[in-house]
Amino acid sequence: MKHRKAVTLINIAGLVLGITGAVLIFEYVFYERSYDAYHKNADNVYRLVYDRYQSGSLMYKTTGAFYASGNWLMSNYSEVEDFFMLERYYNIEVSVKGEEKALENFFEEKAYYVSNSVFRILDLPLILGTDSCLAAPGTVAISERVAKKLFKDQNPVGKILTVDNRDNYAITGVYRDIPSNSHLKTDLLFSFATVLARRPHLQTSWTSDFRCMYLLLRPGTDYKKLEKEAFPRMIRENYAELLAPKSRRDEYHLQPIKSIHLHSSIEYEHEPPGNGKGVDILFGFALFLLIIAWINYVNLITARSVERAKEVGVKKVCGADRPTLIRQFVFESIIFNLFCIVLSGALIFLCMPFFKQLTGIEHFGSIIGTKFLLYSGLFIFSGIVLSSIYPAFVLSSFAPIEVLKGKFRNSAQGIGLRKALITFQLFISVSLFIGAGIIYKQVDYLTQKDLGYTYQSVLVVKAPRTNEQQSEYQGKIELLRENLQRNPNVLGFTFVSDIPGEEIGRFFEGYKKGLDIKSSGTGCFRTDVDADFTDFFRIKLLAGRSFNEDDKVSQTKVIFSNKAVARFGFDSPEDAVGGKVIAIDKREYEIIGVFDDVNYYSVKAETAPIVFTNRDYAKQYMAVKYSGTSELKSIIDQIKPEYKNIFPNNAFEYEVLEDKIAGNTKTDRTFSLVFGIFSALAGVISIIGIMGLVIIIINQNMKTLGIRRVLGAGLPDVNSYLWKHFYPQLIVAVCLAIPVSYYVFQKQVLENYVYRISVSPTYLILPVILIAAVLALVVVAFARKAFSENLTRILKSE
């Protein structure tokens, strides 16, 4: 190590960077794969989902389920041991009335009604209360975090939680905070018995499916077999007659709870899903990163075999046998690798703050724990042993007589292996660089894509829940609108039921007037908006007009999206305008306009058929457009007093719409950034290894280079002499990397996106040019250094 300090430092740098990068990637991958795996029944819990087809075409994929399905399955199939229902209870305003004064209200973005059986199926440890705490209507269990927030050190059981200043729930339990690696994160669980008490018909209904169902299957159940047997029969015996007249059919599936986070992206997901393909690719990436680092190590050790040949020859003459030498070199290698692991541990510790911020993992290794350490440690140890054995056998195999006569040279087999390893190393680096570029362009495309509306400089304020008469409440909203619009920094105001960036939670069911509901009834997402909505978001109208204030009186006008037009059976937007539709409640509506399809929920989801209505009772968001030159804090400081002046007893909470829209691509942006950083790291490790090889080649051929200079060779000749050791490997690596990268990223990664780029030749060629240029610079730099060496010193021993 002392004798060749530069090579040693290069070797250490390559291994340390490789181990550090691999461990960090392993942490991210294991975390993403750990979602919902902590439940003791995780291997036997499944979510029920279904696909609905009409006339052979897929209408939608949904997490919705009928409550009656659970009881039917348990009655007919012993494989189904239990189930629980889950219904959204989003964006609620919560308060607790104390004995002396009212505590501060707050909004809860994501809460659920849930069956009491959830405590038997999932791991939700109760700190206070029993497993039957949600058995009765009007009860709620709260998380430990909310209990501390609202009640400090007091016992919250028995206290009353008020929702939307209207409904009261008795707190009957406190559960431990749900881990961050769960797809069902919430601080409030309300009893599903409350839903059944309000709507008892749900227990036997096969038409209302706006809730989720999770099944607990008997251990060892073949869930795929159960899918094929149980669900066609369930449809046939219960509601096939409702589907047949409309040419519909349903296909049910069971999703393992552990796969939901990474491998499910359908209607009414509880949170934006992860990137399953991306995580799999990153796992392979981590392995390749370690392999590249160990290839460097093996290459540099075996390339220096000439320098260590005399040491081996002398030791053999003095009586050392081959097993002794193997043990020596293996031990050297292990000590070297362990030293690098210690340095990697220190580097990982330093990188932790940045890594946590980058990936959103709160506690490094705390969730993965023993499993993570076991798998990553086992792989690293195996790599150390394997990377030690080959150099040990190579170095111990030298014949002492040949060595001591000075006739030893690297074998053709050894040189060939090194060239193969360099080729493989460059192949991985080129492939990763190509992949990083493609992923970056895909994510950039998603973030820049026109969603069909504008969302910049928009502040979303959650509408207060006052429990007042609708006319009185709406009057206050209009007063707030007028007050805010007098502010020169406020450019617009609209009041809506569903804000862009969230999945629409309401449905419009009906049929085209003149047709029969049994044969033509269909449904679309429904959003309640006001007269300013389309202008506020600059949504493009294809035909007809938007709402005006007169439409609010009758509330019999609707605006359709282009897809809704097709779903209801109209021939074109122009044909739809003036057309009539009959809702499921028998009310007749006139279509006054058709707007272009928009990605209302997410750019990662296909545009959905949407109907805009101008009702008021379901609206829960106020959107305020502010001047782009204004500071956000200043705008909030101006809006909040106006809000509090009109709604003094309600919480004021807001979010920036641009941040909300960006949140739907957060996992993709994180994946792109992680992939890009570690692709660059893989390239650096490869270049570091090649730098080491260049140094060794120069050291072993200094006299050759000196003689060439005496005979008139210039710097270009030295460049050419060194370059010929690497360019054949680079050419082979590029020829392999381009088709492999195209297939993997075009066919495996991009196919997961609804809207995606096409891989152009530029994405394939630019990374190749970049790596070739860096490699050429390394060779030129070291060639210049070798060319400047003193000729006398080089040739004096000849």
Side-chain angles (χ1 to χ4, degrees):
M1 289 173 67
K2 283 184 178 180
H3 185 58
R4 291 288 184 224
K5 293 183 180 66
V7 175
T8 299
L9 288 174
I10 285 172
N11 221 343
I12 290 173
L15 267 180
V16 168
L17 290 176
I19 294 171
T20 301
V23 169
L24 292 175
I25 295 174
F26 281 149
E27 169 71 6
Y28 176 73
V29 168
F30 275 70
Y31 175 80
E32 287 290 301
R33 290 180 175 178
S34 74
Y35 265 67
D36 298 299
Y38 63 89
H39 300 294
K40 62 179 181 295
N41 294 319
D43 292 331
N44 301 307
V45 177
Y46 298 82
R47 184 173 68 180
L48 184 63
V49 300
Y50 75 90
D51 307 336
R52 173 156 289 182
Y53 294 83
Q54 185 165 14
S55 302
S57 299
L58 179 67
M59 289 178 67
Y60 54 77
K61 297 172 175 283
T62 182
T63 62
F66 306 110
Y67 181 87
S69 300
N71 290 326
W72 187 90
L73 288 167
M74 287 186 65
S75 299
N76 290 276
Y77 290 89
S78 60
E79 294 95 329
V80 182
E81 292 188 348
D82 208 344
F83 75 96
F84 72 86
M85 299 299 296
L86 196 75
E87 182 173 320
R88 294 178 171 205
Y89 199 17
Y90 284 6
N91 298 309
I92 57 177
E93 188 173 5
V94 180
S95 61
V96 179
K97 305 304 179 184
E99 295 180 1
E100 298 180 2
K101 62 177 182 177
L103 299 174
E104 183 73 21
N105 293 15
F106 67 93
F107 281 94
E108 182 65 28
E109 184 175 350
K110 189 181 294 184
Y112 300 101
Y113 288 108
V114 64
S115 306
N116 190 70
S117 53
V118 68
F119 295 106
R120 298 192 296 270
I121 297 174
L122 301 184
D123 284 359
L124 285 173
L126 285 164
I127 301 171
L128 296 172
T130 66
D131 286 354
S132 60
C133 63
L134 295 182
T139 56
V140 61
I142 63 177
S143 70
E144 188 177 10
R145 176 170 42 247
V146 166
K148 289 179 179 178
K149 174 182 177 180
L150 295 179
F151 303 102
K152 303 295 188 283
D153 298 326
Q154 298 178 37
N155 184 350
V157 174
K159 303 287 187 181
I160 302 299
L161 208 67
T162 302
V163 175
D164 293 344
N165 287 297
R166 182 184 66 238
D167 300 322
N168 294 322
Y169 295 85
I171 299 174
T172 53
V174 177
Y175 57 88
R176 294 200 183 278
D177 295 335
I178 296 175
S180 60
N181 59 332
S182 169
H183 81 289
L184 292 173
K185 293 185 279 287
T186 181
D187 288 318
L188 298 172
L189 292 173
F190 296 87
S191 64
F192 196 79
T194 308
V195 177
L196 295 179
R198 294 171 182 168
R199 302 192 290 275
H201 69 280
L202 291 178
Q203 300 187 60
T204 56
S205 171
W206 292 93
T207 58
S208 180
D209 64 349
F210 299 117
R211 51 203 57 87
C212 300
M213 176 181 291
Y214 291 77
L215 303 175
L216 176 63
L217 303 187
R218 190 179 62 212
T221 299
D222 183 347
Y223 78 95
K224 288 291 185 182
K225 181 180 178 183
L226 182 66
E227 277 181 3
K228 295 178 181 178
E229 293 178 358
F231 297 119
R233 178 188 166 193
M234 183 181 77
I235 297 169
R236 188 169 58 251
E237 294 183 6
N238 294 286
Y239 70 100
E241 68 278 2
L242 301 177
L243 298 176
K246 300 176 185 179
S247 301
R248 290 179 179 174
R249 66 180 176 87
D250 290 347
E251 284 186 5
Y252 281 87
H253 307 281
L254 290 173
Q255 292 180 326
I257 192 172
K258 293 195 295 186
S259 73
I260 291 173
H261 172 65
L262 288 179
H263 303 288
S264 180
S265 180
I266 56 181
E267 283 182 5
Y268 299 120
E269 290 289 358
H270 303 297
E271 63 179 21
N275 188 333
K277 284 280 188 182
V279 168
D280 292 341
I281 288 173
L282 278 177
F283 181 74
F285 188 175
L287 301 184
F288 282 137
L289 205 58
L290 280 174
I291 290 170
I292 287 175
W294 281 319
I295 284 175
N296 275 354
Y297 176 78
V298 171
N299 267 342
L300 294 176
I301 292 298
T302 54
R304 288 186 60 197
S305 57
V306 172
E307 299 173 15
R308 300 200 67 177
K310 289 185 180 180
E311 172 195 344
V312 173
V314 171
K315 284 185 175 181
K316 282 190 172 182
V317 168
C318 293
D321 57 7
R322 192 174 186 188
T324 301
L325 292 170
I326 289 174
R327 284 195 297 273
Q328 174 201 334
F329 293 126
V330 168
F331 186 71
E332 279 183 16
S333 182
I334 291 174
I335 292 296
F336 185 85
N337 276 271
L338 290 176
F339 175 69
C340 291
I341 287 175
V342 172
L343 293 179
S344 296
L347 188 57
I348 289 168
F349 179 78
L350 293 174
C351 291
M352 269 305 97
F354 169 74
F355 185 74
K356 288 178 182 178
Q357 184 180 6
L358 174 66
T359 61
I361 298 176
E362 296 177 3
H363 304 289
F364 181 76
S366 62
I367 295 172
I368 313 304
T370 305
K371 184 178 179 182
F372 165 69
L373 294 175
L374 177 65
Y375 279 95
S376 57
L378 182 63
F379 186 82
I380 290 174
F381 178 76
S382 301
I384 289 172
V385 172
L386 292 174
S387 66
S388 304
I389 289 175
Y390 176 74
F393 273 86
V394 169
L395 293 171
S396 64
S397 65
F398 301 152
I401 295 176
E402 293 295 317
V403 168
L404 297 178
K405 284 183 176 180
K407 296 181 179 179
F408 174 77
R409 292 289 185 273
N410 278 322
S411 67
Q413 294 91 336
I415 294 171
L417 177 63
R418 279 205 303 281
K419 288 182 177 180
L421 292 176
I422 292 170
T423 303
F424 181 68
Q425 193 177 49
L426 289 171
F427 161 71
I428 293 174
S429 298
V430 172
S431 299
L432 293 178
F433 265 70
I434 291 173
I438 291 172
I439 293 168
Y440 170 79
K441 293 300 294 184
Q442 171 63 27
V443 173
D444 182 63
Y445 170 74
L446 292 179
T447 56
Q448 300 297 324
K449 184 181 182 298
D450 181 13
L451 303 182
Y453 55 88
T454 60
Y455 54 86
Q456 292 78 14
S457 302
V458 173
L459 192 71
V460 177
V461 180
K462 295 180 180 178
R465 314 291 196 264
T466 63
N467 199 27
E468 298 172 293
Q469 291 291 329
Q470 185 63 39
S471 58
E472 185 178 354
Y473 175 71
Q474 189 63 30
K476 289 184 177 181
I477 295 292
E478 292 305 317
L479 177 61
L480 179 61
R481 183 198 301 262
E482 292 171 11
N483 291 348
L484 290 178
Q485 288 182 333
R486 284 198 291 266
N487 187 328
N489 292 318
V490 173
L491 306 180
F493 183 101
T494 189
F495 190 33
V496 297
S497 61
D498 301 273
I499 206 71
E502 282 189 357
E503 201 158 24
I504 299 171
R506 292 162 185 80
F507 231 57
F508 181 93
E509 293 183 87
Y511 57 98
K512 184 179 178 180
K513 186 176 181 180
L515 301 177
D516 181 15
I517 187 173
K518 291 183 178 179
S519 61
S520 63
T522 188
C524 300
F525 290 106
R526 187 195 94 227
T527 295
D528 300 325
V529 303
D530 60 15
D532 296 319
F533 178 80
T534 52
D535 287 339
F536 183 96
F537 286 109
R538 297 181 185 173
I539 293 176
K540 180 182 178 183
L541 283 170
L542 301 178
R545 63 175 176 84
S546 186
F547 291 120
N548 57 40
E549 290 301 323
D550 294 334
D551 298 326
K552 199 171 186 179
V553 178
S554 64
Q555 294 193 347
T556 59
K557 313 292 186 184
V558 291
I559 303 175
F560 271 32
S561 73
N562 201 25
K563 279 192 174 180
V565 166
R567 179 166 287 189
F568 272 79
F570 294 97
D571 294 331
S572 66
E574 292 75 16
D575 175 51
V577 174
K580 304 291 179 66
V581 293
I582 311 298
I584 198 168
D585 61 1
K586 306 301 183 184
R587 293 184 67 182
E588 182 177 304
Y589 292 87
E590 179 187 354
I591 303 172
I592 61 170
V594 176
F595 64 94
D596 202 1
D597 293 319
V598 296
N599 289 105
Y600 206 81
Y601 170 43
S602 170
V603 70
K604 293 167 65 177
E606 192 173 354
T607 56
I610 303 173
V611 174
F612 289 156
T613 61
N614 60 350
R615 301 170 182 173
D616 285 330
Y617 70 90
K619 294 175 181 176
Q620 55 184 352
Y621 295 103
M622 296 176 289
V624 180
K625 184 172 290 187
Y626 58 91
S627 170
T629 59
S630 304
E631 289 187 7
L632 180 60
K633 184 179 182 303
S634 174
I635 289 294
I636 294 167
D637 290 342
Q638 294 170 44
I639 293 174
K640 185 174 181 179
E642 297 285 356
Y643 177 96
K644 279 295 188 179
N645 185 46
I646 299 173
F647 302 104
N649 297 319
N650 294 93
F652 176 79
E653 290 191 12
Y654 63 89
E655 57 188 332
V656 178
L657 185 56
E658 197 165 356
D659 294 341
K660 190 172 194 64
I661 299 293
N664 285 322
T665 57
K666 182 178 183 297
T667 55
D668 303 276
R669 287 182 284 111
T670 299
F671 173 62
S672 174
L673 190 55
V674 169
F675 199 95
I677 289 172
F678 289 105
S679 292
L681 184 60
V684 168
I685 293 171
S686 295
I687 296 301
I688 283 174
I690 289 173
M691 285 170 59
L693 287 174
V694 171
I695 291 172
I696 291 170
I697 290 169
I698 289 173
N699 288 336
Q700 291 178 353
N701 294 276
M702 282 302 291
K703 292 184 174 62
T704 302
L705 294 174
I707 293 169
R708 286 172 177 258
R709 281 183 59 193
V710 169
L711 297 176
L715 180 58
D717 299 297
V718 177
N719 284 332
S720 175
Y721 178 78
L722 293 176
W723 184 242
K724 73 178 182 180
H725 290 81
F726 301 103
Y727 80 82
Q729 287 76 44
L730 179 62
I731 292 173
V732 173
V734 168
C735 291
L736 292 173
I738 287 178
V740 169
S741 300
Y742 176 83
Y743 173 78
V744 170
F745 292 98
Q746 176 71 54
K747 302 299 182 183
Q748 299 296 319
V749 177
L750 297 182
E751 287 295 324
N752 295 305
Y753 293 96
V754 175
Y755 305 102
R756 52 186 176 267
I757 62 170
S758 295
V759 178
S760 70
T762 305
Y763 303 155
L764 302 173
I765 295 171
L766 281 180
V768 173
I769 294 173
L770 177 62
I771 288 181
V774 172
L775 188 58
L777 286 175
V778 169
V779 171
V780 168
F782 281 97
R784 183 177 295 276
K785 185 177 182 302
F787 190 77
S788 64
E789 287 286 335
N790 186 286
L791 280 175
T792 305
R793 186 185 68 79
I794 294 172
L795 300 176
K796 66 180 180 180
S797 60
E798 287 300 303

